[in-house]
Amino acid sequence: MSLLIVGSVAFDAIETPFGKTDKIIGGAASYIALAASNFTQNTKLVAVVGEDFPQEFIADLQSKGVSTEGLQIKKGEKSFFWSGKYHTDMNTRDTLVTELNVLADFDPIIPESYQDCEYLMLGNLTPKVQQTVIQRLKKRPKLIVMDTMNFWMEIALDDLKETLKMVDVLTINDEEARLLSGEYSLVKAAVKIQEMGPKYLIIKKGENGALLFSGKDVFFAPALPLEEVFDPTGAGDTFAGGFIGYLAKTGDISFENMKTAIIYGSAMASFCVEKFGTERLVNLKADEMQSRINVFRNLVKFNMASV
Ligand code: AMP
């Protein structure tokens, strides 16, 4: 089933305790599309880049079945640029630079051939732009998943709350859930955030896994314990791409199936952090994915002994 992905396609410069990169490919939608392409070949991208963006990466996406008809390339303009530096714990980072460039006045144009999409993934962007995308779709998708960040909670809370009323699933991290709800307990935060609109809430806790809430139902998926986390950039987006990619492949949006989707999302994220930027995802093989899913299965499998 077709999946529409909207978000940033960008240049990033990253510094971690393991090293430092110059400008490399990044952007929320890049990670989402690469992750989702492992599940469905019917993926469509809406984003904007400048003339400076490498054609090779666009070709990589196309070779993985991602339609780039909705990728605007702005002549004479520069792509979005973000730079971040991770602390020693790799769980926290400082944003060093955000140059909006082409994202400053991004008008998300939806090609006619994208109108049939049944799944919509709104990557981290201005809440107004996320809203515009939903409004421009003639038929509401079967499932709308949205990602956002603390930045929008601080500078565009009213717009964000309007957008939240229009989506089915929200993915945020634990710190953002606390900020948005004003509750320290994630269980209380989940109740408050669901009252804002999304029927499902996914709270990402980095190396401590992810929680899925819907009404009284809760599910927890661990993150894979890795010897080395090289670069966590894009892990949340990769998680979201695996999650919605799996749902789009199976066509089943029940809570039960979302549990499996979260495991697939976590498996994809575990690859993302192994190399800088998108490199690991671009070169990922199908058999590697399958064996990692098996590792996940063993990670949580146990016998129920009667006591
Ligand atoms: P994550 O590590 O999951 O938070 O995602 C990091 C990616 O988000 C990077 O590749 C950045 O290019 C992108 N990014 C950072 N800030 C923004 C922003 N304000 N709007 C859109 N994308 C962003």
Side-chain angles (χ1 to χ4, degrees):
M1 289 184 201
S2 62
L3 165 63
L4 172 57
I5 296 166
V6 188
S8 53
V9 172
F11 286 125
D12 290 347
I14 302 156
E15 199 175 328
T16 78
F18 295 97
K20 200 174 165 175
T21 69
D22 284 329
K23 278 190 179 179
I24 56 170
I25 303 295
S30 305
Y31 287 103
I32 295 168
L34 286 170
S37 71
N38 290 284
F39 301 93
T40 167
Q41 290 287 297
N42 199 352
T43 303
K44 294 153 182 193
L45 175 68
V46 166
V48 63
V49 291
E51 210 176 2
D52 54 354
F53 199 76
Q55 185 58 42
E56 291 77 20
F57 184 71
I58 300 174
D60 278 341
L61 289 177
Q62 288 166 346
S63 73
K64 289 175 182 290
V66 180
S67 164
T68 57
E69 192 190 337
L71 176 66
Q72 303 169 37
I73 303 174
K74 296 275 180 188
K75 280 229 163 75
E77 293 187 46
K78 285 167 77 180
S79 303
F80 175 74
F81 173 62
W82 175 83
S83 170
K85 182 177 176 175
Y86 287 86
H87 301 168
T88 329
D89 69 0
M90 294 290 258
N91 284 323
T92 47
R93 72 182 178 203
D94 295 325
T95 289
L96 305 177
V97 183
T98 301
E99 287 173 12
L100 288 176
N101 300 325
V102 288
L103 263 196
D105 55 0
F106 177 37
D107 182 24
I109 296 163
I110 317 285
E112 198 48 43
S113 64
Y114 285 20
Q115 283 292 346
D116 63 348
C117 77
E118 289 166 290
Y119 291 80
L120 171 61
M121 178 70 227
L122 295 167
N124 175 29
L125 275 178
T126 324
K128 267 270 183 231
V129 171
Q130 293 177 316
Q131 249 178 67
T132 304
V133 171
I134 300 172
Q135 284 157 352
R136 286 184 178 171
L137 290 172
K138 292 176 192 153
K139 192 168 153 247
R140 189 191 192 278
K142 181 169 158 181
L143 190 80
I144 303 178
V145 181
M146 168 185 166
D147 186 34
T148 190
M149 70 190 293
N150 50 0
F151 182 66
W152 306 119
M153 294 169 197
E154 280 151 16
I155 69 157
L157 186 60
D158 290 345
D159 288 344
L160 177 63
K161 284 190 171 166
E162 277 310 302
T163 314
L164 282 175
K165 289 180 193 159
M166 304 164 85
V167 307
D168 304 300
V169 185
L170 174 69
T171 68
I172 45 177
N173 68 31
D174 41 2
E175 217 180 280
E176 291 157 350
R178 290 184 173 119
L179 181 65
L180 182 61
S181 64
E183 293 286 351
Y184 187 80
S185 150
L186 293 181
V187 176
K188 285 185 182 168
V191 172
K192 281 206 175 163
I193 294 169
Q194 287 175 81
E195 282 167 5
M196 296 177 190
K199 196 172 162 211
Y200 303 92
L201 173 69
I202 296 173
I203 301 183
K204 298 167 287 180
K205 290 155 60 77
E207 64 177 349
N208 297 315
L211 289 157
L212 166 67
F213 292 93
S214 181
K216 295 214 173 313
D217 293 325
V218 191
F219 179 68
F220 172 71
L224 191 70
L226 291 168
E227 250 176 63
E228 242 172 36
V229 172
F230 207 72
D231 170 23
T233 310
D237 307 311
T238 305
F239 171 92
F243 174 76
I244 198 160
Y246 180 79
L247 293 179
K249 178 190 167 83
T250 53
D252 175 353
I253 57 169
S254 65
F255 185 81
E256 277 309 301
N257 203 45
M258 283 189 190
K259 290 183 185 177
T260 313
I262 281 205
I263 299 289
Y264 276 90
S266 305
M268 296 309 301
S270 74
F271 286 116
C272 172
V273 303
E274 288 180 347
K275 293 250 163 85
F276 270 121
T278 55
E279 190 187 339
R280 187 68 176 97
L281 295 179
V282 169
N283 299 308
L284 187 65
K285 306 272 177 304
D287 59 327
E288 291 178 304
M289 199 177 91
Q290 205 42 58
S291 59
R292 189 144 301 181
I293 294 296
N294 291 336
V295 174
F296 258 90
R297 189 176 291 132
N298 291 332
L299 185 66
V300 291
K301 199 171 78 179
F302 66 98
N303 292 324
M304 290 281 282
S306 47
V307 281

